[in-house]
Amino acid sequence: MGSRYPSHQLGNGLFVSGRPEQPKERPPTMSSTAMPYTGGDIKKSGELGKMFIPTDGSKLRKSGPIPGAPSRSGSFAGTAQSGPGAANATGRMSGSLASSGGGSVSMKKTNSGPLSKHGEPLKKSSGPQSGGVTRQHSGPIPVLPATGLITSGPLNSSGAPRKVSGPLDSSGSLKTHMGSVVHNQAVTTLGPEDEFSSLKSFPKSVLWLVVLIFIMGFLAGGFILGAVHNPMLLIVVAVFFTVVAALFIWNSCWGRRGITDFIARYPDADLRTAKNGQFVKVTGVVTCGNVPLESSFQRVPRCVYTSTCLYEYRGWGSKPANSSHRCFTWGLRSSERHVVDFYISDFQSGLRALVKTGNGAKVTPLVDDSVVIDFKHGSEKESPDFVRWLRQKNLSSDDRIMRLKEGYIKEGSTVSVIGVVQRNDNVLMIVPSSEPITAGWQWSRCTFPTSLEGIVLRCEDSSNVDAIPV
């Protein structure tokens, strides 16, 4: 009994409806076989090596550019030498296609390797080959999306932060690296005017008014003493002058201690409940950002703040260290003070905040010195490292009395930071305050009111800190 619908039987005996499918011709595919390692001997290369064996008894020569031959973008992965017959075999053995029937078709083009969908050979890189495998580049590397990590410094063309590195020179001074770090936009360079001084905040008008009053008092006391022989006014003026002068000298010597005590007594804030724009003090452990620093004299790596200052004492008839250096005082001759952005892990909340002290931000550092070296003429053998540092900085010692002070904040140190909280896309930051911080009269220390600008960094001697948090 026939059926109007055609059917056919499969190989397993099952009848199915429809006509049997016609076998489709498979498109030609590339087949390649890894060539065995021959050690450079073409006699062990099989059929391929026989083409390059010279028949006229001439010596073998190493492969190179063949004059008059067309340029090739592909190459055989196992052949290292060629002979005179290579020019004739170039167009004959450039590649083979394996068809479904097992036959091979010789290509007319001289480019070996896989073909594109348009029948054109794919371009390959001309770099070094390893193990007979040619590396291919599929195109330019795409730009990766932003990860949300805030780093210091400018970005390159691909959106990644620039890396600063360089080899050590013969003296191990990293001059190239330090020069690039100093001129980096992410590094804030602090000058002598940024150094903290308790008398710098004292109003100049009040100071000159006090000086004028004492001058007038001494003149009046001297006139009365000469006219009526009464020294009472002169004694009173002298006593008041002594008290005021002692108070100014005390503040110049112990004013820094008064402000550090003020920062120590200031309560720490909780970053979990801190609002945007709130003035806070945070104490925690420091972690370096994208651009770590290195101290100039001791070469301490992975620092967020470094300060190396060289002072000179000017005696009678000696050379001044700077234009404003007075006699019988210490003057600043050289200063290297830098600070960058860093992270701080709060002790109270455990949160991690980014402290924006780089990119030219206003910073007031109150960091204790880790090393102090006194040097005078004739003590070169006692301080060879200091003499070497002077030579690297092109500074002459002569017969001057010098003092080197260096302080730093390295990774793992405990730091107190005073600034303003700023939240930007769930990123917690501490930025400089737009208004200076005012510390009133410190009666326990007998210090004048002092104002602090920008972000305040307070760190004790961190030379003994060895732990680096991860």
Side-chain angles (χ1 to χ4, degrees):
M1 183 176 179
S3 174
R4 68 176 64 180
Y5 300 102
S7 62
H8 66 280
Q9 185 179 8
L10 301 178
N12 55 4
L14 180 65
F15 286 91
V16 295
S17 62
R19 296 184 178 86
E21 296 181 357
Q22 299 295 330
K24 298 181 181 180
E25 295 183 359
R26 298 178 59 185
T29 57
M30 293 297 299
S31 65
S32 61
T33 304
M35 298 299 297
Y37 179 73
T38 62
D41 188 2
I42 60 176
K43 296 181 180 180
K44 298 180 182 180
S45 301
E47 298 296 331
L48 180 62
K50 293 180 181 179
M51 298 187 305
F52 299 96
I53 300 178
T55 57
D56 55 353
S58 60
K59 296 182 179 180
L60 297 177
R61 64 181 180 88
K62 294 184 178 181
S63 62
I66 303 175
S71 60
R72 301 174 59 189
S73 61
S75 60
F76 289 102
T79 307
Q81 295 178 346
S82 63
N88 298 329
T90 302
R92 191 171 60 230
M93 293 296 294
S94 60
S96 61
L97 294 175
S99 62
S100 60
S104 62
V105 180
S106 177
M107 296 182 63
K108 295 182 181 180
K109 293 186 178 181
T110 61
N111 301 84
S112 63
L115 301 178
S116 64
K117 63 181 181 179
H118 300 291
E120 298 178 356
L122 296 176
K123 294 184 180 181
K124 300 180 181 180
S125 62
S126 58
Q129 299 178 358
S130 173
V133 179
T134 304
R135 296 180 180 179
Q136 300 181 4
H137 297 283
S138 59
I141 301 176
V143 178
L144 297 178
T147 59
L149 177 63
I150 300 178
T151 57
S152 302
L155 303 178
N156 55 21
S157 59
S158 62
R162 296 179 181 175
K163 296 182 179 180
V164 182
S165 61
L168 288 169
D169 56 5
S170 58
S171 60
S173 59
L174 279 175
K175 294 181 180 180
T176 305
H177 172 71
M178 290 302 297
S180 59
V181 169
V182 171
H183 295 90
N184 195 335
Q185 296 180 358
V187 180
T188 300
T189 301
L190 304 177
E193 65 277 0
D194 298 319
E195 188 174 0
F196 171 78
S197 177
S198 59
L199 299 180
K200 184 172 62 175
S201 303
F202 195 84
K204 301 299 181 181
S205 58
V206 177
L207 178 61
W208 287 110
L209 180 61
V210 171
V211 172
L212 181 60
I213 290 175
F214 277 112
I215 292 176
M216 294 177 61
F218 277 112
L219 291 176
F223 177 77
I224 294 176
L225 178 62
V228 297
H229 303 285
N230 188 358
M232 186 59 64
L233 181 60
L234 186 60
I235 294 174
V236 173
V237 174
V239 170
F240 274 101
F241 177 78
T242 303
V243 173
V244 173
L247 189 60
F248 273 91
I249 295 175
W250 175 269
N251 276 266
S252 62
C253 297
W254 299 99
R256 181 185 176 93
R257 180 65 61 86
I259 196 64
T260 54
D261 290 346
F262 167 77
I263 295 176
R265 293 193 306 267
Y266 199 90
D268 292 338
D270 191 349
L271 291 179
R272 291 172 296 186
T273 59
K275 299 180 180 179
N276 193 17
Q278 181 179 346
F279 186 80
V280 296
K281 173 197 170 186
V282 179
T283 302
V285 180
V286 168
T287 307
C288 288
N290 189 41
V291 184
L293 300 176
E294 184 184 58
S295 63
S296 177
F297 179 71
Q298 292 181 299
R299 297 296 180 194
V300 179
R302 299 196 64 78
C303 297
V304 300
Y305 166 81
T306 59
S307 173
T308 305
C309 299
L310 179 64
Y311 299 90
E312 288 185 2
Y313 183 79
R314 183 183 181 185
W316 185 260
S318 60
K319 299 179 181 179
N322 52 64
S323 58
S324 60
H325 191 191
R326 297 183 298 271
C327 291
F328 308 109
T329 58
W330 288 93
L332 181 63
R333 184 180 181 184
S334 175
S335 176
E336 298 180 17
R337 306 173 67 206
H338 309 291
V339 62
V340 293
D341 293 351
F342 62 93
Y343 293 94
I344 184 170
S345 299
D346 184 21
F347 283 154
Q348 288 194 357
S349 62
L351 298 179
R352 193 184 189 200
L354 175 66
V355 183
K356 298 293 292 181
T357 53
N359 297 281
K362 190 66 177 179
V363 182
T364 301
L366 297 171
V367 182
D368 294 344
D369 296 325
S370 301
V371 58
V372 178
I373 297 178
D374 291 328
F375 178 84
K376 62 181 180 179
H377 184 67
S379 60
E380 289 82 0
K381 295 182 180 180
E382 299 178 1
S383 304
D385 295 336
F386 180 73
V387 176
R388 188 182 306 111
W389 181 82
L390 288 177
R391 192 180 302 112
Q392 292 176 358
K393 300 298 179 181
N394 296 324
L395 299 174
S396 60
S397 59
D398 301 335
D399 56 347
R400 307 180 183 183
I401 301 176
M402 292 180 288
R403 175 176 295 173
L404 177 69
K405 294 183 179 181
E406 184 173 78
Y408 49 83
I409 301 176
K410 66 179 181 180
E411 195 171 41
S413 304
T414 301
V415 177
S416 296
V417 178
I418 298 180
V420 176
V421 174
Q422 180 177 341
R423 300 180 184 273
N424 186 10
D425 296 335
N426 296 327
V427 177
L428 184 60
M429 295 185 295
I430 299 178
V431 298
S433 174
S434 58
E435 298 180 357
I437 308 166
T438 303
W441 285 89
Q442 306 296 316
W443 299 106
S444 60
R445 291 285 181 179
C446 296
T447 56
F448 298 143
T450 307
S451 61
L452 305 174
E453 298 181 356
I455 292 182
V456 181
L457 300 180
R458 171 58 184 150
C459 179
E460 298 180 357
D461 184 12
S462 59
S463 59
N464 297 324
V465 177
D466 295 327
I468 298 179
V470 179

